[in-house]
């Protein structure tokens, strides 16, 4: 079987040895090339629009990540199955990052680097976790794990998602009209939503100003969820305490982007949770075997739903 590695900005070489080991019979090609155009399987992160439509033998598009928003954004995406990666380790890593980011606000660590630079000794009032409600947007595998981890750490957790979920010990809300309820008392808002047309820009003025004064925002999903002008306005007005931002519409975030230096904002380099190359390739190899024998594919994306 011929496989093509496709990404707008390249950089998928880190998968090559793993793919050669897991799929010994496969021919591996890099986009852009005529040989890649002939491939039956596209292994992608962010394929330029039209690339997949120009592959006459294409039978499967496989994301190398949990998200498929960059793939589904192509209006010419051909009608072939799209699969994504599901990885329990990824949820665990996200749990660690979101727990740390919650503590960043809860324990008042956010002004510490600034105070330390000025030699300023200032302690933040210590509050128990039970007094710091956290709202998790998105209750898929990852959001659920994060919500449970924070619940187990003693935080009152509210969850919000498109469709109803039931998580013991977490107050779950569903649907657009319930969003203000989920936000109403949240001291920390964590966004783990998939990026779809419905969720693009969801962290805009209406959502962020529905948080109580002094809340902190944690963004680990996609940069396109955030209306950054609304964030900056609410940070500067003092309504929001700060933001931990791990994802951006353009990555890497350019060195001269003002967000790096916006007071109250901590930029981290899309490091919250990344699937390991071996885990990615094991799942892709299994789907190649399934494709060969016509068996149902693992982690197939519902294209209408967008994830
Ligand atoms: C990371 O952002 C992923 O979608 O796996």
């Amino acid at each position: 079987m011929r496989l093509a590695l496709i990404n707008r900005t390249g950089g998928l070489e880190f998968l090559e040895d793993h793919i050669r080991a897991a799929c010994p019979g496969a021919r591996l090609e890099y986009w852009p090339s005529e040989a890649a155009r002939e491939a039956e399987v596209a292994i992608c992160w962010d394929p330029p629009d039209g690339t997949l439509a120009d592959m006459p033998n294409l039978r499967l598009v496989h994301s190398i990540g949990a998200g498929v928003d960059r793939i589904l954004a192509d209006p010419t995406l051909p009608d072939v199955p799209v699969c994504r990666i599901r990885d329990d380790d990824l949820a665990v890593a996200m749990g660690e990052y979101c727990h740390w980011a919650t503590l960043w606000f809860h324990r008042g660590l956010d002004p510490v680097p600034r105070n330390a630079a000025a030699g300023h000794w200032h302690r933040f009032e210590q509050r128990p976790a039970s007094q710091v409600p956290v709202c998790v947007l998105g209750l898929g595998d990852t959001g659920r794990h994060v919500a449970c981890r924070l619940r187990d750490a003693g935080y009152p957790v509210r969850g919000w998602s498109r469709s109803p979920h039931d998580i013991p010990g977490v107050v779950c809300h569903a649907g657009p009209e319930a969003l203000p309820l989920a936000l109403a008392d949240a001291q920390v808002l964590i966004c783990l939503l998939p990026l779809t047309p419905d969720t693009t820009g969801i962290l805009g003025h209406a959502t962020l100003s529905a948080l109580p004064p002094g809340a902190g925002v944690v963004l680990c999903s996609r940069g396109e969820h955030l209306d950054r002008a609304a964030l900056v306005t609410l940070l500067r007005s003092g309504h929001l305490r700060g933001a931990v931002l791990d994802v951006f519409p353009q990555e890497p975030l350019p060195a001269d982007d003002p967000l790096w230096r916006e007071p109250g904002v901590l930029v981290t380099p899309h490091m919250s949770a990344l699937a390991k190359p071996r885990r990615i390739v094991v799942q892709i190899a299994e789907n190649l075997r399934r494709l060969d024998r016509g068996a149902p594919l693992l982690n197939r994306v519902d294209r209408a739903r967008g994830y």
Side-chain angles (χ1 to χ4, degrees), residues 45 64-67 90 221-222 270 273-275:
W45 174 246
I64 63 161
L90 203 125
S221 45
R222 289 291 183 262
H270 200 147
L274 293 173

Side-chain angles (χ1 to χ4, degrees), residues 60-63 65-69 71-72 77 80-85 287 297-307:
L60 169 65
V61 178
H62 215 303
S63 170
V68 287
D69 42 284
I71 295 168
L72 299 189
L77 179 65
V80 296
V82 177
C83 295
R84 67 189 190 95
I85 301 299
N287 268 340
L297 298 167
L298 296 179
N299 308 320
R300 191 166 167 178
V301 169
D302 176 341
R303 287 175 57 164
R305 225 170 40 160
Y307 53 95

